[in-house]
Amino acid sequence: MSNLQETYARTDDDPLLLGGRVLKSRLFLGTGKLGREDLIPELAHVSGAQVITVAMRRVDLSSRKGNILAHVPDHMQLLPNTSGARTAEEAVRIARLSRACGAGDWIKIEVISDAANLLPDGYATAKATEILAKEGFVVLPYINPDLYVARDLVNAGAAAVMPLGAPIGSNRGLQTKEMIRILIAEINLPIIVDAGLGAPSQACEAMEMGVSACLVNTAIATAANPTRMAAAFALAIASGRAAHLAGLGRVLDKGSAASSPEEGRLTAFLET
Amino acid sequence: MDPQVKDITLNGETRSSRAQSLSELLVELGVNETALVAELNGSIVPQTDFTSTGISAGDTIELVRFVGGG
């Protein structure tokens, strides 16, 4: 980018305040499905991401894998998820294990009991959020973009709400756009699109609408070149944010409006 | 039977162990990792307490760690 572009598309004077942190980057990076965990430092570097998700699983006694945290740059905020939880109680248990494992206070609540559709359970998510917020966690719940669930989460002490754009891992984009638009208008917490975004243009559109950040995993991990895709998402998210701050121009319901002035046309001049 | 050998349930599977503590169990398993956490009969045990946490016959132990996820 040129210096002028950097001046007007800058995002460092527009940080996202979340959980006591000042975040310059509005791209949250997922680490699932990466063929190589040693890609993480490069993805973090080229994207500028400051928040990174991980999951908790039983130690695999039959294989020796390295510690994923060894690949996560020190400056990054860990956002462990509660994937695998089917109930509020299991999500709470995973969150407490995560904190005891040294991951800090941030937790993404993910409660999924429907293994076929992998949709989050809003009621269980709200119950887990209420318990964990009282225990001092910075709770980021993953939900269907449902206004009533989102309101419950506000009351339960969530730090943000994270609606899905499309079914998890699908790369099908911002299918829930109209519902997310309602959350942006009604919910006084950061809205972070999580799940479904498959292309940078979709993340850009979400940011233009006014969401506060996007969490991207599968789109980067399954790209032919994850490093280039991480950089592309970072640019798209910064661009969408800049467009949101600029204020999108009006949309005409019908008809057209010339961009050049109607007055003083050369042909009209010649006719007079 | 060796009185030191006891049956425990580790990560959902029954196995025999001679370990007297969680840290001895890790040595027995050949697990040499940092950033682990355990659950012993449902109570969380941070890794710093593995040496001082004893194991008895019939204990249910979960040994977990972070992996890639979204």
Side-chain angles (χ1 to χ4, degrees):
Chain A
M1 274 198 284
S2 70
N3 287 341
L4 266 179
Q5 276 178 315
E6 281 173 5
T7 299
Y8 286 101
R10 65 188 293 176
T11 49
D12 57 350
D13 61 347
D14 166 46
L16 171 60
L17 306 178
L18 189 60
R21 283 195 68 140
V22 179
L23 301 171
K24 290 182 185 173
S25 168
R26 291 168 181 269
L27 168 59
F28 292 11
L29 196 61
T31 61
K33 302 194 196 88
L34 288 176
R36 294 166 34 209
E37 289 178 349
D38 60 1
L39 265 182
I40 291 171
E42 193 171 287
L43 297 179
H45 180 67
V46 300
S47 69
Q50 293 169 284
V51 177
I52 189 162
T53 64
V54 289
M56 291 212 93
R57 289 293 180 273
R58 284 171 165 167
V59 172
D60 183 353
L61 300 172
S62 61
S63 76
R64 290 284 169 270
K65 285 188 181 171
N67 171 13
I68 190 171
L69 300 189
H71 299 294
V72 175
D74 287 341
H75 70 271
M76 294 189 87
Q77 172 67 50
L78 277 181
L79 177 56
N81 67 37
T82 66
S83 64
R86 293 155 299 180
T87 64
E89 292 71 25
E90 288 177 356
V92 168
R93 177 182 170 200
I94 294 168
R96 289 172 179 160
L97 279 167
S98 165
R99 181 149 73 178
C101 203
D105 292 334
W106 286 37
I107 192 78
K108 168 182 158 179
I109 303 292
E110 182 177 337
V111 183
I112 293 175
S113 52
D114 184 324
N117 295 294
L118 300 180
L119 291 171
D121 180 331
Y123 178 57
T125 299
K127 282 202 292 184
T129 297
E130 186 160 40
I131 293 167
L132 292 168
K134 281 179 184 160
E135 294 181 14
F137 282 90
V138 174
V139 184
L140 290 89
Y142 166 61
I143 61 163
N144 258 310
D146 180 288
L147 177 61
Y148 298 99
V149 171
R151 282 180 176 154
D152 286 341
L153 292 169
V154 172
N155 293 331
V161 294
M162 302 210 294
L164 57 86
I168 195 166
S170 69
N171 279 355
R172 286 205 292 272
L174 203 56
Q175 301 291 334
T176 59
K177 180 164 62 180
E178 295 306 321
M179 303 301 125
I180 289 176
R181 212 187 286 283
I182 292 169
L183 298 190
I184 294 167
E186 298 290 335
I187 299 299
N188 192 23
L189 283 178
I191 307 295
I192 301 169
V193 176
D194 177 7
L197 297 177
S201 55
Q202 296 153 1
C204 186
E205 184 178 13
M207 297 303 298
E208 286 172 355
M209 281 166 48
V211 308
S212 294
C214 296
L215 198 165
V216 183
N217 185 347
T218 302
I220 292 172
T222 62
N225 185 328
T227 305
R228 290 187 85 117
M229 191 56 78
F233 265 98
L235 286 170
I237 286 168
S239 176
R241 181 64 185 175
H244 176 71
L245 294 176
L248 295 172
R250 89 279 189 275
V251 177
L252 298 179
D253 284 339
K254 60 181 179 180
S256 56
S259 298
S260 304
E262 291 292 310
E263 305 78 27
R265 283 183 298 176
L266 205 55
T267 50
F269 170 76
L270 290 172
E271 282 163 11
T272 57
Chain B
M1 184 174 147
D2 185 335
Q4 285 195 320
V5 177
K6 51 191 170 284
D7 281 346
I8 58 170
T9 302
L10 175 65
N11 287 359
E13 292 181 2
T14 304
R15 65 162 61 223
S16 298
S17 172
R18 290 171 169 275
Q20 302 290 310
S21 67
L22 283 174
S23 50
E24 285 183 23
L25 179 63
L26 288 190
V27 172
E28 192 177 271
L29 296 167
V31 173
N32 178 25
E33 287 186 48
T34 55
L36 299 177
V37 64
E39 250 185 14
L40 175 62
N41 301 325
S43 296
I44 293 174
V45 184
Q47 195 163 9
T48 47
D49 293 347
F50 280 10
T51 304
S52 60
T53 302
I55 297 176
S56 308
D59 278 349
T60 297
I61 298 162
E62 293 284 341
L63 206 52
V64 300
R65 63 164 187 159
F66 290 110
V67 298

